[in-house]
Amino acid sequence: MSSKKNVTRVLIHAPIKKVWEALTKHGEPLPFFFGSVMHTSGLQPGAQIRMRTACGKYTGVVGEILEVDPPFRFSHTFKFTQRNDPACKVTYELKEIEGGTEFTLFSDDLIDGTPTSKDMISGAPIITNTLKSLVETGEIPFQSRLILLMCRLMKPFTPKVCLSEHWPLDKASE
């Protein structure tokens, strides 16, 4: 099996702190993460991370935080709960530049040909462009609104393996 890396970069016309705050927000739906709500057992290395539906019934992504360096870098492992594919690594890198923030999304350790690899590569531009629009304008692009609608419509068909009861998180810090 060969592994690969995917890199997606965008310039966000906003201060780095504003981008960081949007990226690491938890407790409310994040349109750039397909409407998921980020839950963590703490925003520090070694902490668990869960991406759940707004109602909390389903968990789509699980992982462990690897690195947190505000407001420059956030990294965690990433595994879709409905897939048997190996976990990959996601890193968000923010760099202050003239005119705003250079935002880079790295996806590492993608196993070539797996559904996870395909979804990570096709999803990265949606994530970066939705984050850009949301931070710059407060608006969600039309394409992203359609995807969010599809996610809500498909929720009744979510596999039982994705039920949050199968993916607990330390309740003390949730």
Side-chain angles (χ1 to χ4, degrees):
M1 290 203 254
S2 66
S3 95
K4 61 182 172 180
K5 177 179 198 162
N6 186 60
V7 180
T8 307
R9 184 171 289 125
V10 67
L11 170 61
I12 300 176
H13 298 285
I16 193 169
K17 186 172 181 175
K18 186 174 180 182
V19 178
W20 177 263
E21 287 171 356
L23 179 67
T24 58
K25 191 178 288 186
H26 52 282
E28 65 183 72
L30 302 173
F32 49 88
F33 288 143
F34 305 94
S36 294
V37 177
M38 180 170 40
H39 295 264
T40 71
S41 58
L43 199 58
Q44 72 267 346
Q48 298 174 343
I49 187 169
R50 303 288 187 260
M51 299 305 284
R52 294 191 169 144
T53 54
C55 67
K57 185 174 181 178
Y58 298 104
T59 298
V61 172
V62 297
E64 180 181 314
I65 296 175
L66 302 171
E67 183 180 358
V68 180
D69 180 17
F72 306 106
R73 193 173 172 87
F74 178 40
S75 181
H76 59 87
T77 60
F78 183 105
K79 180 174 180 9
F80 286 115
T81 57
Q82 79 272 24
R83 302 236 169 83
N84 289 323
D85 297 346
C88 60
K89 176 182 163 187
V90 174
T91 303
Y92 312 96
E93 201 168 86
L94 290 75
K95 181 179 177 186
E96 207 162 23
I97 61 172
E98 186 166 334
T101 303
E102 181 182 82
F103 177 79
T104 307
L105 169 56
F106 297 93
S107 301
D108 291 292
D109 305 324
L110 297 170
I111 304 301
D112 206 16
T114 61
T116 294
S117 178
K118 292 174 186 173
D119 286 349
M120 297 298 283
I121 291 168
S122 66
I126 297 166
I127 291 168
T128 55
N129 291 330
T130 304
L131 177 64
K132 173 183 173 63
S133 179
L134 191 64
V135 171
E136 289 180 353
T137 69
E139 299 292 322
I140 302 166
F142 179 72
Q143 176 190 17
S144 299
R145 288 196 313 265
L146 288 177
I147 291 168
L148 290 170
L149 175 62
M150 288 304 299
C151 289
R152 285 193 297 274
L153 292 174
M154 296 305 293
K155 195 183 324 179
F157 304 103
T158 304
K160 289 184 184 195
V161 70
C162 299
L163 287 167
S164 292
E165 65 194 50
H166 300 302
W167 308 97
L169 183 68
D170 176 10
K171 297 291 183 199
S173 303
E174 190 169 1

